[in-house]
Amino acid sequence: MKILYCWRCKMDVPMLDEAEFAVIHKLYRGGFDATKEFREQHNLSLGHLFIDERFRPVREAYAQMAGWNEPNEHAIMHHRLSYYGPPCKQCGKPLRTPVASFCAACGAEVQ
Ligand SMILES: [Zn+2]
Ligand SMILES: [Zn+2]
């Protein structure tokens, strides 16, 4: 977990490392399928499930890791460190992708 500027949310957010992301991703997949086993495991209703409930385990796991509540599970899914590049040497914002050739924030070229 590392606090990094997110280009989509336009703010600093807790970003997941690969091990953390693996846990979150599994819960996210589980939310889509919402099998009986998954529901029982995460205390979800066995009847009709609202979308919001399906992804509650994702938000809870993230809140626990990040110490911060993110109400949008889809935002959580792009808070993955490996999606971003290293910090720009000039302004310190993370490069938008690991292969970026310039910084989208200040325009500095990546050496
Ligand atoms: Zn974001
Ligand atoms: Zn920059």
Side-chain angles (χ1 to χ4, degrees):
M1 185 66 61
K2 196 172 149 192
I3 305 291
L4 212 63
Y5 180 80
C6 173
W7 288 99
R8 289 200 231 178
C9 299
K10 298 189 169 46
M11 59 190 271
D12 289 349
V13 301
M15 295 274 184
L16 304 161
D17 64 30
E18 290 306 283
E20 291 162 337
F21 186 79
V23 174
I24 294 287
H25 188 250
K26 197 167 167 240
L27 293 171
Y28 190 71
R29 294 281 340 147
F32 270 109
D33 300 338
T35 57
K36 185 165 176 283
E37 195 191 357
F38 182 81
R39 290 168 183 229
E40 281 172 355
Q41 212 174 354
H42 297 283
N43 258 327
L44 300 175
S45 155
L46 291 172
H48 177 75
L49 269 187
F50 289 102
I51 289 290
D52 192 57
E53 276 179 277
R54 287 172 174 245
F55 296 105
R56 180 163 53 76
V58 174
R59 297 190 302 272
E60 283 177 355
Y62 183 77
Q64 220 171 47
M65 291 172 187
W68 189 64
N69 281 315
E70 168 55 66
N72 181 350
E73 57 276 359
H74 304 295
I76 294 171
M77 297 313 291
H78 71 246
H79 292 161
R80 181 183 187 182
L81 280 169
S82 65
Y83 285 159
Y84 302 83
C88 167
K89 291 198 172 70
Q90 192 160 302
C91 72
K93 293 242 169 88
L95 298 174
R96 254 201 249 222
T97 73
V99 295
S101 58
F102 70 95
C103 171
C106 72
E109 269 184 57
V110 176
Q111 321 289 336

